[in-house]
Amino acid sequence: MNAHLARLTGRDVRSVRVVGGQHGYQHLDVAFADGQHGFAKITPDPDGSLIAEAHGLRWLGEAGAVPVPDVLGVDGTALVIAMVPASGGTDERAASAFGADLARMHAYGADSFGAPWTGYIAGLPLDNTRASSWPQWYAERRLAPFLRMALSSGALRAQDGALVETVMERLAELAGPAEPAARVHGDCWSGNVLWPDGRGWLIDPAAHGGHRETDLAMLALFGAPRLDAIIAGYASVAPLAPGWRSRIPLHQLHPLLVHACLFGASYRSAVVEAAGAALQNC
C-alpha cells in the first residue's frame, strides 16, 4: 500500500494508518516523509467513484470560493487528498462567511446541468448526462433512477412511486423561476462541511451543474449548524428566488430516495412526506 500511494502522489510515504471506512471504502491517514499528512480512500472494487470525486473537488476548487482539499493523486482504487485540519465548531460569523462563499461558488456557474463525468453519491452511480433544462434533468437523472431502484428493492410501495411520479410530471411548475446552471456540491449535508480554523470547507462532493437551491436543501436535511446564519450570508451575496423555502422538500426528494435505496423502508415516510410537500406548491 505504501508503494502504491507513493507512486500515486509522487511523494515518499512514511506510514499509513487506518482511521475508518464508509460505503465500502477504507479510510487512511497517510503520513508523508516531509511531515505532511494526506487522507486516502481505498476500494478493492474500482468503479469510477474515486475518479469522479477527484473531478468534483478540482472542479469546485476552480471557483476559488469555498475551500476544498487538494487532490494529491487518484486512480481507480485510491484517492489521496490533502488532510483537512481537525474540524472545530462554528459560530455565527463563520457560518455567514461560509454561506457567502457558497453563493460565490454557485455563481461561478456551469456550462449546463449535469457534468462530463459519471457521478456517485454514497457509492451509487449518478447519471450526469447534460441537459439545458433543470426540471427535465432533475426528473430524468435524479428522481427516476432512484425511484426505480427503491421500488424494485421494496423500500417504496407502488402508491409511493405514483406520488413521486406525479412530482416528476409537474416539475416544470414546481421548480420556481428558471435559473442558470450553478456549480453545486451535490451532497452538501452537514457531514460534508468541515470547520477547521472557523472556516467552512467542503469534502466528498457529487459535484455537477445543478440548481443552487439543492445544496441549501441538503444543508437543511440533516441539520447543518447555524443554518440561519449560512442562509443570511448566502443571501447577502446572491438573494434567493421567491418561494425558495417552499421548494426545499422538492430538492430533498432525491437524497431521501438515495437513502431509501441504501437503507430501505425506514425512509419511506420521509420520501412520501417530501413528495407531498413538494406538490403543495402546485
Side-chain angles (χ1 to χ4, degrees):
M1 179 58 66
N2 289 33
H4 181 197
L5 297 178
R7 286 194 301 271
L8 203 61
T9 61
R11 300 183 178 200
D12 292 332
V13 174
R14 187 179 66 211
S15 64
V16 172
R17 180 170 60 92
V18 177
V19 292
Q22 191 176 29
H23 302 306
Y25 305 117
Q26 186 181 54
H27 296 169
L28 307 176
D29 179 343
V30 182
F32 297 109
D34 61 6
Q36 296 184 332
H37 284 252
F39 175 84
K41 280 186 178 180
I42 307 296
T43 177
D45 302 310
D47 57 10
S49 59
L50 298 178
I51 292 172
E53 184 175 341
H55 280 313
L57 287 169
R58 289 166 174 153
W59 190 67
L60 295 178
E62 289 174 4
V66 183
V68 297
D70 291 334
V71 176
L72 303 182
V74 64
D75 64 13
T77 62
L79 167 67
V80 187
I81 60 176
M83 183 70 78
V84 178
S87 184
T90 185
D91 56 22
E92 294 288 313
R93 183 174 180 178
S96 178
F98 171 71
D101 286 343
L102 189 65
R104 295 185 187 99
M105 185 183 83
H106 288 167
Y108 198 81
D111 293 337
S112 61
F113 298 103
W117 58 80
T118 298
Y120 286 83
I121 185 167
L124 299 177
L126 292 167
D127 183 353
N128 278 340
T129 303
R130 292 187 277 189
S132 58
S133 163
W134 184 78
Q136 179 184 5
W137 183 88
Y138 186 60
E140 295 178 357
R141 311 290 186 234
R142 289 298 183 265
L143 298 185
F146 291 93
L147 176 60
R148 289 193 296 268
M149 194 184 306
L151 288 169
S152 177
S153 69
L156 296 182
R157 303 171 185 171
Q159 61 266 39
D160 309 328
L163 183 64
V164 176
E165 287 171 353
T166 301
V167 173
M168 293 163 56
E169 292 165 0
R170 298 184 180 179
L171 255 164
E173 55 186 296
L174 297 175
E179 296 203 359
R183 188 161 299 217
V184 303
H185 179 280
D187 190 14
C188 197
W189 72 288
S190 58
N192 285 338
V193 184
L194 304 182
W195 300 93
D197 300 322
R199 187 176 186 190
W201 286 56
L202 288 173
I203 60 168
D204 202 12
H208 62 276
H211 199 300
R212 62 192 182 127
E213 292 174 8
T214 294
D215 278 349
L216 299 178
M218 280 293 290
L219 287 168
L221 184 57
F222 296 113
R226 314 278 185 178
L227 182 58
D228 288 345
I230 292 173
I231 297 300
Y234 190 103
S236 71
V237 171
L240 291 153
W244 72 271
R245 289 187 186 276
S246 65
R247 291 187 292 273
I248 288 175
L250 176 66
H251 291 271
Q252 291 178 340
L253 189 52
H254 169 244
L256 288 171
L257 284 169
V258 170
H259 277 71
C261 294
L262 290 171
F263 305 115
S266 61
Y267 275 88
R268 175 185 171 269
S269 61
V271 169
V272 170
E273 183 178 342
L279 288 170
Q280 290 181 2
N281 283 330
C282 287

